[in-house]
Amino acid sequence: MPERVAAFFAPRLPQGRRVCVALSGGRDSVALLQALAEVRAALPLQLSALHVHHGLSANADAWADGCAERCRSLDLPLQVVRVRVDDERGEGLEAAARRARYAAFAGCDADWLALAHHRDDQAETLLLNLLRGAGAHGLAAMPEERLLAAGASLRLVRPLLATARGEIEAWLQARGLTWIDDESNADSRLRRNFLRNDILPRLAGIFPDPAAALARSAAHLAENVALADALAAIDAAAVVDGERLRLAAFNALPAARRGNLLRHHLRHHGWRMPDARYLGEILRQLAAAEAGAAPAFPLDDGALRVFRGQLFLCPPETPAAALPWHGEAELPWAGGVLRFRAGDGIGVRLTALAGTACAIRVRRGGEHLQPDPRRPRRPLKKLLQESALPPWQRGRLPLLWCGDALVWVAGLGVDARYAAAAGEAGVLPIWETAAGG
C-alpha cells in the first residue's frame, strides 16, 4: 500500500507537495492516511488531514476525537470542519451530505486533496449512475484526478481507486490498525448501501469479481469521455467566444457534436447538467431559433439566454441596492465587483467629485447621458437599446451619481460634461461581472 501511494504521488510532486487526506476515520481513509504517513519523508510530502463533522450521528463527536487522536499519533495537523446537512433541495440525505462535504473541501489549504475511494466504490458509483440514466461522464464514474471545482487550484485525487476493499482491510489488519464503522453503512434504505450490501454480493455469486469488471467498464468509458472532451475543445475553438457561444456556428455542427459541446461548456463553468430530455429540447429550440429570437432556458445554476445570435450562460440575478461611494478602491456589485482606477486623463475628473455625495445605483427610469461630446444628451433607455449589452444586464448596471448628476454608466462610459481632460486627474470605474452576467 505505501509503495502504491508513493508511485501515485511521485510524478505529481512537481505540481505541489502539500497533500491533505480527507479523513472520516473509516477503514479506507485510515489506510490512505497511514500509507502516506509512512512515505511522506521519502517523497517528501507536507501531509495533513481534514475531517468533516456532518453531525448526522450521535457518534459524530467521538469520530472527530478519534481522528484527532490518530493524527496526534502520526504527528500530523488535522482540521475539523463542522457542516450543516440541509436537504432543502429535496435531493436526499446522501446527496445533501456530499454537497456539504465538498463545500468544506473548498476551504482546504493544500495542493492535493486525497480521497480514499477504492475499486469497489467505483463499481458502486457506476451502478448508481447507470440506474439514474446518466450519460457517458456519469458512467465513467470517479476520475483518479480532477480539479475540485472549475477555476479552483486544489486538485482532488484518489490514489486507491484501483485497489480492492478487501486488500485495504487485510493491510490494516496486518498492521493491527483499527477504524471507525459508521452505523449508517448498514442501512440498505440508502441507495449506495443497497448496492453494496445486497446487489454486489448477489452478483458475486454468479459473476467472478463483479466489482473489478464494473471498474474496468468505468475505465473504458473514461477513455471515451476524454475523446469526447477533446472533440468539444476542438469545436469550442470555432464556436465559443469568451463566455458565450456563437449560435450560427454552433448550429452548423452535427447534432451529436452540438450536444457534446453544450454539455462540455456547462461542465467547464461548473454548472449542473440538465435532464437529458430538457437538454434535447434546448438543442431543438436553439436549432429552430430565427434571427432576432431571444429564447431563455432556466437551469439549476442560472439560465441560458440568446441575444443577437449568441448564447449566454447567465448566473442567477443578484439584487443590487444603492451604495454610497466614499472613494473606496472597489465595491461589491450585483455578484461582481466595481473597481475604481485613478489616473490622468481617464474616467470622471476628480474636481467633479469633490465635496459631492456620490453613490452607485441601478436605473430608475428617465435618466439621460452624453457619452459622446459630439452628440447631445440622450435618454439612457435609448442608449442601452442601441448598445450590445444584453437586456438582462441593463436592470442591474451600476450608475455613478454625484449629487443629482449622472456621471457614468457601466458599458456606456462617462458623461462628457464630467470627463477628465488630457493631463487632468480622474478616476475610471470598471465593472467586472460574473461569467455571462
Side-chain angles (χ1 to χ4, degrees):
M1 197 80 65
E3 297 80 7
R4 190 170 300 170
V5 297
F8 181 91
F9 275 106
R12 291 173 166 83
L13 294 185
Q15 301 175 58
R17 295 182 176 273
R18 298 176 303 158
V19 177
C20 180
V21 175
L23 180 65
S24 68
R27 172 194 55 238
D28 311 320
S29 64
V30 166
L32 179 57
L33 185 72
Q34 180 67 32
L36 280 167
E38 292 181 17
V39 300
R40 59 178 158 166
L43 282 174
L45 295 174
Q46 298 176 31
L47 188 60
S48 62
L50 182 150
H51 175 76
V52 180
H53 188 303
H54 296 87
L56 295 175
S57 168
N59 299 314
D61 288 338
W63 295 342
D65 291 343
C67 289
E69 178 57 35
R70 186 171 301 278
C71 288
R72 278 193 295 271
S73 70
L74 295 171
D75 193 24
L76 293 175
L78 170 70
Q79 179 185 8
V80 177
V81 180
R82 292 177 177 266
V83 299
R84 178 183 176 186
V85 179
D86 189 348
D87 188 20
E88 57 187 11
R89 299 182 183 179
E91 58 196 337
L93 191 62
E94 289 174 281
R98 182 184 185 278
R99 182 162 50 83
R101 186 162 57 252
Y102 274 71
F105 289 166
C108 176
D109 185 20
D111 302 307
W112 309 95
L113 178 62
L115 304 186
H117 294 122
H118 48 68
R119 191 180 70 187
D120 297 69
D121 292 324
Q122 185 76 310
E124 294 161 13
T125 300
L126 172 59
L127 280 176
L128 200 60
N129 289 344
L130 187 65
L131 293 167
R132 288 171 176 157
H137 278 80
L139 299 182
M142 298 180 288
E144 275 194 337
E145 177 182 336
R146 69 169 175 86
L147 287 173
L148 180 66
S153 59
L154 179 65
R155 302 196 71 87
L156 186 152
V157 289
R158 297 180 172 93
L160 302 180
L161 203 54
T163 305
R165 177 187 288 121
E167 185 180 349
I168 293 172
E169 186 165 329
W171 185 80
L172 285 172
Q173 289 173 339
R175 276 168 165 70
L177 295 172
T178 59
W179 58 88
I180 293 164
D181 280 318
D182 184 341
E183 66 277 5
S184 70
N185 288 336
D187 185 358
S188 289
R189 291 173 299 177
L190 300 177
R191 293 178 179 181
R192 183 177 288 274
N193 290 345
F194 172 68
L195 294 174
R196 177 186 304 149
N197 301 333
D198 294 53
I199 300 303
L200 280 168
R202 294 185 68 181
L203 289 175
I206 302 173
F207 301 96
D209 204 352
L214 290 166
R216 278 198 306 275
S217 292
H220 295 323
L221 285 160
E223 291 182 1
N224 292 337
V225 163
L227 291 173
D229 285 344
L231 178 59
I234 293 170
D235 288 339
V239 173
V240 178
D241 181 11
E243 302 293 342
R244 61 199 73 173
L245 300 177
R246 290 189 289 271
L247 197 54
F250 177 74
N251 283 332
L253 293 171
R257 287 168 66 175
R258 289 200 303 273
N260 184 51
L261 177 55
L262 185 54
R263 287 189 292 268
H264 180 269
H265 193 58
L266 292 170
R267 275 192 301 272
H268 176 72
H269 290 283
W271 285 35
R272 286 184 292 276
M273 207 59 56
D275 174 86
R277 286 176 295 180
Y278 185 42
L279 185 66
E281 179 60 20
I282 291 172
L283 292 167
R284 187 194 68 77
Q285 291 193 35
L286 290 177
E290 298 179 355
F297 308 97
L299 299 174
D300 288 345
D301 297 291
L304 291 172
R305 298 180 185 272
V306 175
F307 176 65
R308 293 192 175 182
Q310 295 182 310
L311 181 66
F312 294 76
L313 267 65
C314 305
E317 293 189 6
T318 305
L323 288 175
W325 180 56
H326 303 294
E328 297 91 338
E330 62 180 57
L331 290 173
W333 186 264
V337 63
L338 189 58
R339 305 187 192 278
F340 298 86
R341 181 161 64 89
D344 290 342
I346 63 171
V348 183
R349 65 177 184 272
L350 290 183
T351 54
L353 305 176
T356 306
C358 297
I360 310 298
R361 303 181 194 142
V362 293
R363 293 170 58 200
R364 296 176 178 174
E367 300 92 347
H368 288 69
L369 190 76
Q370 186 187 9
D372 186 343
R374 298 164 299 181
R375 303 185 66 182
R377 297 178 74 228
R378 301 177 63 204
L380 181 57
K381 180 179 180 179
K382 291 289 186 182
L383 291 170
L384 290 174
Q385 287 173 346
E386 294 171 2
S387 74
L389 197 68
W392 57 89
Q393 287 189 358
R394 299 172 192 171
R396 56 194 181 96
L397 277 180
L399 280 59
L400 174 59
W401 290 81
C402 292
D404 294 328
L406 175 60
V407 300
W408 171 85
V409 177
L412 296 180
V414 179
D415 190 286
R417 297 173 300 168
Y418 303 95
E424 189 175 16
V427 60
L428 177 65
I430 302 170
W431 185 32
E432 297 178 2
T433 68

